[in-house]
Amino acid sequence: MAQLMENEVFMAFATYAAIVTLKMMLMGPITSYFRITRGSFSNEEDVARKSDEEKKKLLKSHPDVERAQRCHRNDLENIVPFFFIGLLYALTGPELSTALLHFRTFTACRLFHTIAYIGALPQPSRGLSYLVGVLVTTSMAYRVLSTVLLL
Ligand code: GSH
């Protein structure tokens, strides 16, 4: 582990993996914020102290809460694969500049995807950020597979 931490590509991966993981974790508090400000809860116990009339109003979905949840799910669909593929990719010994290009592009794409999704920006902004992120992960997977298959 100590040896890995001296490897520049692995250090770069650890940095960007931590950034996108923290970004994904931020979706929880963002969803909570929308729940509280929009008055939208899904569990009886969350509104236990309210009157029956208030409960009826609060126990309903809200488009902003659902949007934040979809954004969170999309992060899971993309950041979890980036984490595993990126780790394997870092172990294949790529050039630092190429690795940084992959990690930075993916990170920028996921940050922008969240801004586009939560801000409801016009398409194809969100679609493009998603697509470029997928291409980055696919490119890293290609390097992993070609390295392993040539061994
Ligand atoms: N699970 C995704 C979906 O249902 O849309 C697969 C395709 C995807 O991730 N598309 C991007 C997206 O932001 C670009 S359009 N989808 C919205 C979402 O996952 O809620």
Side-chain angles (χ1 to χ4, degrees):
M1 187 72 178
Q3 234 178 357
L4 260 185
M5 282 312 220
E6 278 165 24
N7 178 301
E8 282 180 314
V9 172
F10 187 78
M11 295 265 280
F13 169 70
T15 305
Y16 290 100
I19 291 171
V20 288
T21 303
L22 283 171
K23 202 266 9 122
M24 179 166 67
M25 287 168 65
L26 188 66
M27 293 318 300
I30 288 177
T31 306
S32 300
Y33 168 78
F34 284 134
R35 281 197 185 288
I36 293 161
T37 56
R38 275 47 169 183
S40 169
F41 299 88
S42 33
N43 304 298
E44 272 282 337
E45 64 272 23
D46 298 342
V47 292
R49 291 197 196 138
K50 305 285 181 189
S51 68
D52 282 351
E53 202 181 316
E54 274 179 310
K55 272 184 194 171
K56 244 191 207 170
K57 278 191 207 158
L58 294 172
L59 283 175
K60 59 171 172 43
S61 62
H62 189 283
D64 290 344
V65 172
E66 289 177 0
R67 179 177 284 277
Q69 287 177 325
R70 289 196 302 274
C71 187
H72 199 166
R73 188 188 58 199
N74 197 275
D75 273 351
L76 285 164
E77 289 172 3
N78 291 278
I79 292 173
V80 174
F82 169 81
F83 188 87
F84 286 108
I85 302 280
L87 184 59
L88 298 174
Y89 170 78
L91 296 175
T92 65
E95 283 289 323
L96 178 62
S97 57
T98 314
L100 278 173
L101 183 67
H102 280 83
F103 303 154
R104 286 177 179 164
T105 305
F106 183 84
T107 303
C109 282
R110 292 318 299 180
L111 292 175
F112 186 77
H113 183 272
T114 301
I115 293 168
Y117 215 158
I118 298 302
L121 300 188
Q123 284 281 38
S125 57
R126 172 166 50 85
L128 283 176
S129 58
Y130 158 77
L131 184 66
V132 176
V134 168
L135 289 177
V136 168
T137 306
T138 307
S139 164
M140 293 193 302
Y142 176 77
R143 159 108 187 171
V144 171
L145 289 174
S146 52
T147 305
V148 170
L149 294 176
L150 287 177
L151 282 179

